[in-house]
Amino acid sequence: MSGGGTETPLGGSPSAVPVAGKKRDSQGPANSPVHLIIKDLGEIHSRLLDHRPIIQGETRYFVKEFEEKRGLREVRVLENLKNVIQETNEQILPKCKETMQDQLSQALQRLQAASHLVHKLQQKEQEKRKHFRTTATRDEIFIGTELSWRFYIL
């Protein structure tokens, strides 16, 4: 019972009895209007209700476009990065290095001058303290500091 068109009886020989009381060839020739309508209905049915080929085609198109656009976008991004790096290495980095060296040398000179001035002030202060310790008494120191404070207060 394979649906082939004729059934074989228990004896094993094909019978002339058709399936469902009709022969398959009784539908008419292949170019008959009924056959063409059925064929058209099958095509309409597959186009309207079977969306797999359309979805597969759209999916392939989307993936192809996405990969192409992504690839182009990534190439543009990489080229821009390459240009920025080259510009940085060739122009900005040397300028920054030169400016940094100039500014650091100036800052070092200023720090050395300030250190030298502070050292001189410390030496003068130590000399004054030695002088006051050796020559002055406590009363003289008190009077001297009091006068200096009056000078600042007034």
Side-chain angles (χ1 to χ4, degrees), residues 14-81:
S15 165
V17 178
V19 177
K22 293 185 182 180
K23 290 185 180 180
R24 282 200 164 234
D25 293 339
S26 68
Q27 291 178 357
N31 293 334
S32 72
V34 173
H35 184 68
L36 292 176
I37 291 173
I38 292 173
K39 184 179 177 184
D40 287 342
L41 284 174
E43 287 179 19
I44 290 170
H45 178 268
S46 67
R47 286 187 182 182
L48 290 177
L49 301 176
D50 188 15
H51 302 295
R52 283 177 292 171
I54 295 169
I55 292 172
Q56 289 172 350
E58 288 294 321
T59 304
R60 276 190 236 110
Y61 176 76
F62 176 78
V63 168
K64 179 182 169 188
E65 288 294 314
F66 178 76
E67 287 175 349
E68 287 178 3
K69 288 179 182 177
R70 179 179 174 202
L72 292 175
R73 188 178 339 119
E74 288 177 357
V75 167
R76 277 186 260 131
V77 167
L78 290 174
E79 286 176 357
N80 289 340
L81 285 173

Side-chain angles (χ1 to χ4, degrees), residues 77-94:
V77 167
L78 290 174
E79 286 176 357
N80 289 340
L81 285 173
K82 183 182 112 184
N83 292 338
V84 167
I85 290 170
Q86 283 179 347
E87 180 183 345
T88 302
N89 286 337
E90 294 171 359
Q91 296 174 0
I92 297 172
L93 190 61

Side-chain angles (χ1 to χ4, degrees), residues 119-130:
H119 185 66
K120 280 184 179 181
L121 286 173
Q122 285 177 342
Q123 285 178 348
K124 287 181 181 179
E125 192 68 31
Q126 285 177 355
E127 288 174 8
K128 284 182 182 180
R129 285 184 185 171
K130 279 184 184 180

Side-chain angles (χ1 to χ4, degrees), residues 92-140:
I92 297 172
L93 190 61
K95 285 180 184 178
C96 288
K97 187 177 178 181
E98 181 181 325
T99 304
M100 183 181 67
Q101 287 175 346
D102 291 342
Q103 296 296 325
L104 284 177
S105 66
Q106 290 175 4
L108 181 62
Q109 289 172 357
R110 290 178 186 163
L111 283 173
Q112 287 173 345
S115 175
H116 184 66
L117 288 174
V118 167
H119 185 66
K120 280 184 179 181
L121 286 173
Q122 285 177 342
Q123 285 178 348
K124 287 181 181 179
E125 192 68 31
Q126 285 177 355
E127 288 174 8
K128 284 182 182 180
R129 285 184 185 171
K130 279 184 184 180
H131 181 66
F132 276 123
R133 283 183 198 155
T134 58
T135 61
T137 62
R138 284 187 180 185
D139 293 332
E140 292 173 343

